[in-house]
Amino acid sequence: MPQNTGISQAKGQPRDELTVRDERTGKVYTIPIKDNTVQATAFKKIAAPLKAGERPENETQRGLRVADKGFLNTAVITSEITYIDGEAGVLRYRGYPVEQLAEHSNFLEVAYLLIYGSLPTRPEYDLFEHEVMTHSIAHVDAEGLFKSFRYDAHPMAILSSAFSALGSFYEEANPSLRGQNLFTKSDPASLANMDKQIYRLIGKATTFAAMAYRVRQGRSFVTPPTGLGYTASFLYQMDQLSEQDYVPSPTLARALDILFILHADHELNASTTTVLQTGSSLVDPYSAVAAGVASLYGPLHGGANEAVIRMLVSIGHPKNVPAFIESVKKREKVLSGFGHRVYKTSDPRSFIIRKVADEVFKETGKDELLETAMALHDAAMADEYFTSRKLAPNVDFWSGLIYRAMGFPMDFFPVLFVVPRVVGWLAHWRQMMLQPGGVKIWRPRQVYVGSGRRDYVPIDERKEEPSRDPKSKPTAVPHSGQSKRTHLAQFKGKAKL
């Protein structure tokens, strides 16, 4: 008889349960459903004896594993921060539609909302803004770090190093030095300490980004000004030289503010997940943010809007769009800035950013690529090949054009993604530190498909396998110049090289 290992209710009555029958053993398992979610650990109870000839590495007798390459349908945390409905094209921060926030709010108010859960009162906002702006000034020793980079160093490499180094300035923020429950106690002192690190990281995000920019320009650094808002201060630090009473364009500052709101958080994307994965070891928040920067540096994440510009440059002219479209259909070229991993209809941010683009172009003049972008947009939206695949323009399609019109170099685009996303990272990090039950280190499982047990063979007795996969052997690096001459020279200890 089949064995039911769960608890059943009256027949016919709807139950928040999943019933699983294991045909290997005939056992029936009942798994609770809460918030439309089942616990992956419940599947560990579904065990079976090893079959004849089955690999012991499968660990079948220890229960089922749940495979989810790329985390396509795995929830790793309970969150109250951001909600996305990819099918309906919905994005909300703490329940507020991002469209309303972009129209009526500002970046620091949205930052407060994401981190603390509600829109601030005037006194609450004034305190938060004051603390963030006060903590925007970098220690003088940080200047030496920035100056140590080559003039052509990528700003993301500089930024990730700077955030990591910043943690060494604040011993009181390091759980490795002050105790692993430094940020998890939820008492007034712990919360105050956490808030101080949040002020520092948000405040110095613009300062560090501007310093990375000025290193590339060969310019001295600028102390954050007083009396300017968050994004206006950022523009000031990047651009002010010797002009008196310098005030950045209000239109550009507001456009950047809206872009920062749109990029502040996006649920558990790759970089946010990296921050939480790193933070789960209870490392200091500066190291966790540095890890997030490194994740966002990747071309599949933070480099998307740069890829759009490179694509438009390669197309060259609106007349070349039809040929490009056909190349995309033949999979000869890649269409950047369309479609999204989450959004299956349209990216709600793209509609807002289109309006921002119009305001920026009124002030800067139209970018020469705009006509090509519009031709590509219209052609793709009129083509069944793309519409049937739900490939609509996303936020990256327009943001790259705006950043280019504002005069930012392409390799600085990911930095403009990092600055606002620091807020989202910190909101999720703070939530994890304060979650009921404490923090558990994130330790995913794997499905091992490698060799079974093998015995060691002395090196002189090993034989090379003629059909061995080239990926399983190291590649010799071609040497030239000094290393080639050194290779041909004779010297003591050469045989060990």
Side-chain angles (χ1 to χ4, degrees), residues 3 5 40 87 129 136 143 158 175 216 235 248 264 336 348 363 369 400 406 420 451 460 469 475:
Q3 180 182 347
T5 60
E87 296 294 334
E129 181 187 41
S136 63
E143 294 186 9
I158 299 175
R216 303 287 298 279
L235 291 170
S336 299
E363 181 132 337
L369 295 180
M406 292 175 71
S451 300
D460 293 328
D469 188 337
T475 303

PDB file of all heavy atoms in Angstrom, residues 3 5 40 87 129 136 143 158 175 216 235 248 264 336 348 363 369 400 406 420 451 460 469 475:
ATOM      1  N   GLN A   3       2.392   4.700   1.025  1.00  0.00           N
ATOM      2  CA  GLN A   3       2.535   5.273   2.366  1.00  0.00           C
ATOM      3  C   GLN A   3       2.457   6.801   2.270  1.00  0.00           C
ATOM      4  O   GLN A   3       3.198   7.427   1.525  1.00  0.00           O
ATOM      5  CB  GLN A   3       3.888   4.863   2.964  1.00  0.00           C
ATOM      6  CG  GLN A   3       4.116   5.429   4.357  1.00  0.00           C
ATOM      7  CD  GLN A   3       5.479   5.045   4.896  1.00  0.00           C
ATOM      8  OE1 GLN A   3       6.134   4.177   4.330  1.00  0.00           O
ATOM      9  NE2 GLN A   3       5.901   5.683   5.959  1.00  0.00           N
ATOM     10  N   THR A   5       3.198  10.197   4.016  1.00  0.00           N
ATOM     11  CA  THR A   5       4.041  10.688   5.106  1.00  0.00           C
ATOM     12  C   THR A   5       3.624  12.060   5.609  1.00  0.00           C
ATOM     13  O   THR A   5       4.257  12.618   6.477  1.00  0.00           O
ATOM     14  CB  THR A   5       5.503  10.760   4.652  1.00  0.00           C
ATOM     15  OG1 THR A   5       5.570  11.671   3.538  1.00  0.00           O
ATOM     16  CG2 THR A   5       6.008   9.408   4.223  1.00  0.00           C
ATOM     17  N   ALA A  40      12.198  23.913  -0.338  1.00  0.00           N
ATOM     18  CA  ALA A  40      13.025  22.948  -1.063  1.00  0.00           C
ATOM     19  C   ALA A  40      13.520  21.840  -0.143  1.00  0.00           C
ATOM     20  O   ALA A  40      13.697  20.691  -0.578  1.00  0.00           O
ATOM     21  CB  ALA A  40      14.208  23.667  -1.718  1.00  0.00           C
ATOM     22  N   GLU A  87       4.842  39.555 -15.944  1.00  0.00           N
ATOM     23  CA  GLU A  87       3.818  39.327 -16.954  1.00  0.00           C
ATOM     24  C   GLU A  87       2.993  40.590 -17.211  1.00  0.00           C
ATOM     25  O   GLU A  87       2.589  40.867 -18.333  1.00  0.00           O
ATOM     26  CB  GLU A  87       2.889  38.190 -16.522  1.00  0.00           C
ATOM     27  CG  GLU A  87       3.566  36.838 -16.388  1.00  0.00           C
ATOM     28  CD  GLU A  87       4.065  36.285 -17.709  1.00  0.00           C
ATOM     29  OE1 GLU A  87       3.497  36.645 -18.752  1.00  0.00           O
ATOM     30  OE2 GLU A  87       5.044  35.515 -17.693  1.00  0.00           O
ATOM     31  N   GLU A 129      18.660  63.055   4.808  1.00  0.00           N
ATOM     32  CA  GLU A 129      19.419  63.782   3.786  1.00  0.00           C
ATOM     33  C   GLU A 129      20.678  64.400   4.388  1.00  0.00           C
ATOM     34  O   GLU A 129      21.773  64.340   3.800  1.00  0.00           O
ATOM     35  CB  GLU A 129      18.548  64.867   3.156  1.00  0.00           C
ATOM     36  CG  GLU A 129      19.265  65.655   2.060  1.00  0.00           C
ATOM     37  CD  GLU A 129      18.459  66.838   1.569  1.00  0.00           C
ATOM     38  OE1 GLU A 129      17.837  67.523   2.414  1.00  0.00           O
ATOM     39  OE2 GLU A 129      18.448  67.082   0.348  1.00  0.00           O
ATOM     40  N   SER A 136      29.328  62.228   2.880  1.00  0.00           N
ATOM     41  CA  SER A 136      29.797  62.070   1.502  1.00  0.00           C
ATOM     42  C   SER A 136      31.282  62.383   1.350  1.00  0.00           C
ATOM     43  O   SER A 136      31.911  62.005   0.352  1.00  0.00           O
ATOM     44  CB  SER A 136      28.987  62.981   0.568  1.00  0.00           C
ATOM     45  OG  SER A 136      29.183  64.345   0.898  1.00  0.00           O
ATOM     46  N   GLU A 143      42.218  59.317  -1.332  1.00  0.00           N
ATOM     47  CA  GLU A 143      42.724  59.929  -2.552  1.00  0.00           C
ATOM     48  C   GLU A 143      43.946  59.189  -3.077  1.00  0.00           C
ATOM     49  O   GLU A 143      44.120  59.026  -4.281  1.00  0.00           O
ATOM     50  CB  GLU A 143      43.062  61.397  -2.296  1.00  0.00           C
ATOM     51  CG  GLU A 143      41.854  62.256  -1.970  1.00  0.00           C
ATOM     52  CD  GLU A 143      42.198  63.736  -1.875  1.00  0.00           C
ATOM     53  OE1 GLU A 143      43.356  64.089  -2.231  1.00  0.00           O
ATOM     54  OE2 GLU A 143      41.336  64.531  -1.474  1.00  0.00           O
ATOM     55  N   ILE A 158      38.139  50.513 -10.367  1.00  0.00           N
ATOM     56  CA  ILE A 158      38.490  51.472  -9.320  1.00  0.00           C
ATOM     57  C   ILE A 158      37.432  51.463  -8.218  1.00  0.00           C
ATOM     58  O   ILE A 158      37.748  51.433  -7.021  1.00  0.00           O
ATOM     59  CB  ILE A 158      38.616  52.888  -9.918  1.00  0.00           C
ATOM     60  CG1 ILE A 158      39.720  52.933 -10.983  1.00  0.00           C
ATOM     61  CG2 ILE A 158      38.882  53.905  -8.822  1.00  0.00           C
ATOM     62  CD1 ILE A 158      39.820  54.269 -11.712  1.00  0.00           C
ATOM     63  N   PRO A 175      32.173  42.961  11.574  1.00  0.00           N
ATOM     64  CA  PRO A 175      31.803  41.877  12.502  1.00  0.00           C
ATOM     65  C   PRO A 175      32.956  40.930  12.809  1.00  0.00           C
ATOM     66  O   PRO A 175      32.951  40.280  13.856  1.00  0.00           O
ATOM     67  CB  PRO A 175      30.671  41.154  11.755  1.00  0.00           C
ATOM     68  CG  PRO A 175      30.099  42.177  10.840  1.00  0.00           C
ATOM     69  CD  PRO A 175      31.280  42.992  10.391  1.00  0.00           C
ATOM     70  N   ARG A 216      40.352  59.509 -14.510  1.00  0.00           N
ATOM     71  CA  ARG A 216      40.445  59.312 -15.958  1.00  0.00           C
ATOM     72  C   ARG A 216      40.721  60.621 -16.696  1.00  0.00           C
ATOM     73  O   ARG A 216      41.311  60.637 -17.774  1.00  0.00           O
ATOM     74  CB  ARG A 216      39.133  58.705 -16.480  1.00  0.00           C
ATOM     75  CG  ARG A 216      38.742  57.398 -15.841  1.00  0.00           C
ATOM     76  CD  ARG A 216      39.610  56.260 -16.324  1.00  0.00           C
ATOM     77  NE  ARG A 216      39.484  56.051 -17.749  1.00  0.00           N
ATOM     78  CZ  ARG A 216      38.499  55.373 -18.341  1.00  0.00           C
ATOM     79  NH1 ARG A 216      37.534  54.865 -17.595  1.00  0.00           N
ATOM     80  NH2 ARG A 216      38.473  55.208 -19.642  1.00  0.00           N
ATOM     81  N   LEU A 235      27.130  65.748  -9.995  1.00  0.00           N
ATOM     82  CA  LEU A 235      27.559  66.430 -11.216  1.00  0.00           C
ATOM     83  C   LEU A 235      28.614  67.491 -10.898  1.00  0.00           C
ATOM     84  O   LEU A 235      29.573  67.675 -11.653  1.00  0.00           O
ATOM     85  CB  LEU A 235      26.361  67.065 -11.912  1.00  0.00           C
ATOM     86  CG  LEU A 235      25.356  66.077 -12.532  1.00  0.00           C
ATOM     87  CD1 LEU A 235      24.094  66.805 -12.971  1.00  0.00           C
ATOM     88  CD2 LEU A 235      25.981  65.321 -13.701  1.00  0.00           C
ATOM     89  N   PRO A 248      25.318  72.856 -11.449  1.00  0.00           N
ATOM     90  CA  PRO A 248      25.001  71.994 -12.598  1.00  0.00           C
ATOM     91  C   PRO A 248      23.604  72.289 -13.147  1.00  0.00           C
ATOM     92  O   PRO A 248      22.748  72.852 -12.451  1.00  0.00           O
ATOM     93  CB  PRO A 248      25.084  70.582 -12.021  1.00  0.00           C
ATOM     94  CG  PRO A 248      25.913  70.709 -10.795  1.00  0.00           C
ATOM     95  CD  PRO A 248      25.614  72.069 -10.248  1.00  0.00           C
ATOM     96  N   ALA A 264      17.297  52.099  -8.616  1.00  0.00           N
ATOM     97  CA  ALA A 264      17.613  51.925  -7.200  1.00  0.00           C
ATOM     98  C   ALA A 264      17.491  50.483  -6.733  1.00  0.00           C
ATOM     99  O   ALA A 264      18.294  50.018  -5.915  1.00  0.00           O
ATOM    100  CB  ALA A 264      16.712  52.825  -6.348  1.00  0.00           C
ATOM    101  N   SER A 336      20.416  44.361 -28.689  1.00  0.00           N
ATOM    102  CA  SER A 336      20.577  44.797 -27.302  1.00  0.00           C
ATOM    103  C   SER A 336      19.507  45.813 -26.940  1.00  0.00           C
ATOM    104  O   SER A 336      19.067  46.601 -27.773  1.00  0.00           O
ATOM    105  CB  SER A 336      21.964  45.424 -27.107  1.00  0.00           C
ATOM    106  OG  SER A 336      22.989  44.493 -27.383  1.00  0.00           O
ATOM    107  N   PRO A 348       8.275  48.585 -17.300  1.00  0.00           N
ATOM    108  CA  PRO A 348       7.588  49.833 -16.935  1.00  0.00           C
ATOM    109  C   PRO A 348       8.527  51.029 -16.863  1.00  0.00           C
ATOM    110  O   PRO A 348       8.114  52.176 -17.044  1.00  0.00           O
ATOM    111  CB  PRO A 348       6.965  49.516 -15.573  1.00  0.00           C
ATOM    112  CG  PRO A 348       7.787  48.394 -15.023  1.00  0.00           C
ATOM    113  CD  PRO A 348       8.191  47.582 -16.213  1.00  0.00           C
ATOM    114  N   GLU A 363      17.612  69.995 -23.904  1.00  0.00           N
ATOM    115  CA  GLU A 363      18.702  70.808 -23.341  1.00  0.00           C
ATOM    116  C   GLU A 363      20.033  70.534 -24.013  1.00  0.00           C
ATOM    117  O   GLU A 363      20.812  71.455 -24.252  1.00  0.00           O
ATOM    118  CB  GLU A 363      18.813  70.547 -21.834  1.00  0.00           C
ATOM    119  CG  GLU A 363      19.896  71.361 -21.168  1.00  0.00           C
ATOM    120  CD  GLU A 363      19.407  72.036 -19.898  1.00  0.00           C
ATOM    121  OE1 GLU A 363      18.191  72.237 -19.758  1.00  0.00           O
ATOM    122  OE2 GLU A 363      20.254  72.369 -19.054  1.00  0.00           O
ATOM    123  N   LEU A 369      22.691  59.442 -32.620  1.00  0.00           N
ATOM    124  CA  LEU A 369      22.224  58.056 -32.720  1.00  0.00           C
ATOM    125  C   LEU A 369      20.716  57.931 -32.514  1.00  0.00           C
ATOM    126  O   LEU A 369      20.161  56.846 -32.692  1.00  0.00           O
ATOM    127  CB  LEU A 369      22.940  57.171 -31.687  1.00  0.00           C
ATOM    128  CG  LEU A 369      24.446  56.980 -31.847  1.00  0.00           C
ATOM    129  CD1 LEU A 369      24.970  56.074 -30.743  1.00  0.00           C
ATOM    130  CD2 LEU A 369      24.777  56.392 -33.205  1.00  0.00           C
ATOM    131  N   GLY A 400      21.129  54.460 -22.088  1.00  0.00           N
ATOM    132  CA  GLY A 400      22.422  54.671 -22.729  1.00  0.00           C
ATOM    133  C   GLY A 400      22.441  55.923 -23.586  1.00  0.00           C
ATOM    134  O   GLY A 400      23.419  56.677 -23.602  1.00  0.00           O
ATOM    135  N   MET A 406      24.305  63.268 -22.204  1.00  0.00           N
ATOM    136  CA  MET A 406      24.788  64.050 -21.067  1.00  0.00           C
ATOM    137  C   MET A 406      26.313  64.119 -21.025  1.00  0.00           C
ATOM    138  O   MET A 406      26.876  64.798 -20.161  1.00  0.00           O
ATOM    139  CB  MET A 406      24.250  63.457 -19.763  1.00  0.00           C
ATOM    140  CG  MET A 406      22.754  63.626 -19.598  1.00  0.00           C
ATOM    141  SD  MET A 406      22.072  62.793 -18.134  1.00  0.00           S
ATOM    142  CE  MET A 406      22.724  63.810 -16.820  1.00  0.00           C
ATOM    143  N   PRO A 420      23.101  54.370  -7.735  1.00  0.00           N
ATOM    144  CA  PRO A 420      21.774  54.189  -7.129  1.00  0.00           C
ATOM    145  C   PRO A 420      21.539  52.794  -6.593  1.00  0.00           C
ATOM    146  O   PRO A 420      20.819  52.619  -5.599  1.00  0.00           O
ATOM    147  CB  PRO A 420      20.818  54.488  -8.290  1.00  0.00           C
ATOM    148  CG  PRO A 420      21.607  54.186  -9.526  1.00  0.00           C
ATOM    149  CD  PRO A 420      23.005  54.591  -9.195  1.00  0.00           C
ATOM    150  N   SER A 451      33.803  12.253 -11.919  1.00  0.00           N
ATOM    151  CA  SER A 451      34.290  10.877 -11.781  1.00  0.00           C
ATOM    152  C   SER A 451      33.907  10.280 -10.440  1.00  0.00           C
ATOM    153  O   SER A 451      33.771  11.001  -9.442  1.00  0.00           O
ATOM    154  CB  SER A 451      35.810  10.831 -11.919  1.00  0.00           C
ATOM    155  OG  SER A 451      36.218  11.320 -13.177  1.00  0.00           O
ATOM    156  N   ASP A 460      55.002   9.304 -13.390  1.00  0.00           N
ATOM    157  CA  ASP A 460      55.719   8.635 -14.481  1.00  0.00           C
ATOM    158  C   ASP A 460      54.958   7.434 -15.036  1.00  0.00           C
ATOM    159  O   ASP A 460      55.333   6.886 -16.077  1.00  0.00           O
ATOM    160  CB  ASP A 460      57.114   8.193 -14.003  1.00  0.00           C
ATOM    161  CG  ASP A 460      58.011   9.391 -13.701  1.00  0.00           C
ATOM    162  OD1 ASP A 460      57.836  10.431 -14.386  1.00  0.00           O
ATOM    163  OD2 ASP A 460      58.862   9.301 -12.801  1.00  0.00           O
ATOM    164  N   ASP A 469      39.532  15.880 -23.883  1.00  0.00           N
ATOM    165  CA  ASP A 469      38.895  17.154 -24.213  1.00  0.00           C
ATOM    166  C   ASP A 469      39.894  18.296 -24.025  1.00  0.00           C
ATOM    167  O   ASP A 469      40.532  18.410 -22.980  1.00  0.00           O
ATOM    168  CB  ASP A 469      37.697  17.359 -23.288  1.00  0.00           C
ATOM    169  CG  ASP A 469      36.847  18.556 -23.688  1.00  0.00           C
ATOM    170  OD1 ASP A 469      37.364  19.461 -24.358  1.00  0.00           O
ATOM    171  OD2 ASP A 469      35.658  18.586 -23.314  1.00  0.00           O
ATOM    172  N   THR A 475      46.397  25.645 -21.503  1.00  0.00           N
ATOM    173  CA  THR A 475      46.897  26.139 -22.786  1.00  0.00           C
ATOM    174  C   THR A 475      48.209  26.871 -22.580  1.00  0.00           C
ATOM    175  O   THR A 475      48.319  27.710 -21.677  1.00  0.00           O
ATOM    176  CB  THR A 475      45.869  27.105 -23.417  1.00  0.00           C
ATOM    177  OG1 THR A 475      44.618  26.433 -23.554  1.00  0.00           O
ATOM    178  CG2 THR A 475      46.336  27.605 -24.775  1.00  0.00           C
TER     179      THR A 475
END
